[in-house]
Amino acid sequence: PHSCAPSTRAPAFMPLARRTDLGDSAYAGLEVDVCGDLQRCLADTLAGGLDFLVAPLAHPRHRRPSAAAAASRDPSAPAPAPFARSDLLLNSAQWSSQVVGKTSPWIDADSPSAPYRADSEAALRQELGWAAHLSLHAVLLPPPRLGAANYARIVCQFLGALSHTALWVRVPLVDPAVEAAEASTASNLTTNLTRRRVDPESLASAVDACTRRRLHDPFEAWAGLRAACEGHPQLGVCLHVGASLPGDAELARWNGEPVRAIVVAEDAFTTNKRGFPVLPRRHQEFLTSMLRRNVQVVLRATGGDGDGASGAGGESYIGGDESRIGGETPGVEPTPAEAAAQAA
């Protein structure tokens, strides 16, 4: 006979939070871009029924000085403000089980600009080192580009040095350029415009002359990164689900990949007849297939500036107003130095 008691078997991946009410059910989190008060932001996320928070490792307003500026800095000048919050805001159990860090979105370790590339590499190394210091279980990395050799080199080096922190690489199911072309095509058809537009199908099928790989296929970029890191077990995928999905054959490719989490963006939802947000049928089927593999689900409101998916009454359906979680005013989060000055 089957027992009615909830199962105590450990989840296949990380036990984010210490929930005991739903047994082996997958965990759900919230991704934010602005988090002024980390303690209150995490408390609001947990109170909203979610299990963990995906928050930036570096302060959103922090910018590293360039190598030239750092070399010419006056030694008598005040020390620059810290790039991240204090590690004493949360205890070690909270850092390791309820927080996933994410790197700065501006980082591009394979930029054509040498100074920008050097600054990106330094920032990525600093943020990954900070995540290791915090003993985070996972860090969300930016999407790779096709042939991102320098990015792959940095990731591979840290995979060899990290003891238990996993690296989740954000990979969109549809390339942003292809998705933008699809949206533009739909807009032109709706408004009956005849201006020249980019064909999404030809854009998606464009092939690199050297590698013979599709230029706008996120799976190809991920496959190259994984191969460069020799399939390290701590390297996983965090799929980004937006408004559109690729074909069934392209979706099936992810069944053989180490998918650790899925980020569901706000624009993936549509409104039903009652005015509530729902996922389209294909989105539901894909998400259901991934939930059978015990992936973590992360909700994200587009932009992080308060433009959440709201109903007629103004209430937010997806994790609340990102910029107000933690009680902060949108877009005016203080730097660590400003916060210390205000506290004094």
Side-chain angles (χ1 to χ4, degrees):
H2 296 284
S3 172
C4 295
S7 172
T8 57
R9 180 172 61 85
F13 303 118
M14 69 173 177
L16 286 171
R18 299 176 178 177
R19 201 177 60 182
T20 59
D21 57 333
L22 297 179
D24 295 335
S25 296
Y27 294 92
L30 174 69
E31 180 184 358
V32 296
D33 290 330
V34 178
C35 184
D37 187 337
L38 182 60
Q39 293 172 319
R40 185 173 177 182
C41 183
L42 178 60
D44 290 348
T45 300
L46 299 179
L50 300 172
D51 302 294
F52 62 96
L53 177 69
V54 182
L57 287 166
H59 196 281
R61 291 171 56 193
H62 172 77
R63 288 294 179 269
R64 292 179 55 86
S66 63
S72 60
R73 178 178 172 273
D74 184 0
S76 61
F83 87 101
R85 301 172 179 87
S86 171
D87 56 354
L88 301 178
L89 290 176
L90 304 175
N91 59 44
S92 58
Q94 290 175 307
W95 282 119
S96 61
S97 65
Q98 296 176 344
V99 176
V100 170
K102 65 174 182 176
T103 57
S104 299
W106 61 269
I107 290 177
D108 184 2
D110 289 273
S111 171
S113 170
Y116 194 94
R117 185 169 61 248
D119 291 342
S120 297
E121 179 176 345
L124 183 58
R125 291 182 180 278
Q126 183 182 32
E127 293 181 19
L128 288 176
W130 179 246
H133 168 74
L134 296 175
S135 296
L136 299 183
H137 191 96
V139 177
L140 185 57
L141 298 178
R145 64 170 65 179
L146 187 63
N150 195 40
Y151 181 40
R153 177 179 62 86
I154 300 170
V155 171
C156 190
Q157 289 176 351
F158 267 88
L159 285 171
L162 296 174
S163 57
H164 65 278
T165 301
L167 299 183
W168 295 352
V169 181
R170 188 197 299 269
V171 180
L173 285 175
V174 179
D175 187 272
V178 176
E179 196 166 30
E182 292 176 348
S184 177
T185 300
S187 176
N188 289 342
L189 292 175
T190 303
T191 56
N192 295 322
L193 294 178
T194 58
R195 63 176 180 234
R196 186 172 180 268
R197 61 180 182 272
V198 178
D199 182 16
E201 294 185 3
S202 62
L203 188 64
S205 59
V207 176
D208 182 79
C210 298
T211 63
R212 306 307 300 172
R213 291 186 173 184
R214 290 194 293 174
L215 292 170
H216 299 284
D217 186 357
F219 183 87
E220 294 282 2
W222 154 252
L225 175 63
R226 188 185 184 195
C229 297
E230 299 180 344
H232 198 285
Q234 288 179 250
L235 183 67
V237 179
C238 178
L239 294 178
H240 187 96
V241 179
S244 61
L245 292 180
D248 293 339
E250 295 181 352
L251 288 177
R253 296 181 299 180
W254 294 108
N255 292 332
E257 301 302 317
V259 180
R260 299 293 183 254
I262 293 181
V263 173
V264 183
E266 177 191 341
D267 56 3
F269 291 85
T270 59
T271 304
N272 63 10
K273 296 179 179 180
R274 296 186 177 183
F276 293 99
V278 295
L279 287 173
R281 180 58 59 88
R282 290 195 68 224
H283 286 67
Q284 294 181 32
E285 293 173 351
F286 176 72
L287 192 59
T288 300
S289 67
M290 286 296 166
L291 286 174
R292 295 193 182 101
R293 302 173 57 188
N294 294 327
V295 302
Q296 318 299 333
V297 178
V298 181
L299 300 179
R300 171 179 171 80
T302 304
D305 56 359
D307 295 333
S310 301
E315 67 275 13
S316 176
Y317 291 117
I318 309 177
D321 187 339
E322 278 186 327
S323 57
R324 291 184 190 142
I325 292 178
E328 295 298 319
T329 305
V332 292
E333 180 186 2
T335 64
E338 291 170 346
Q342 293 172 5

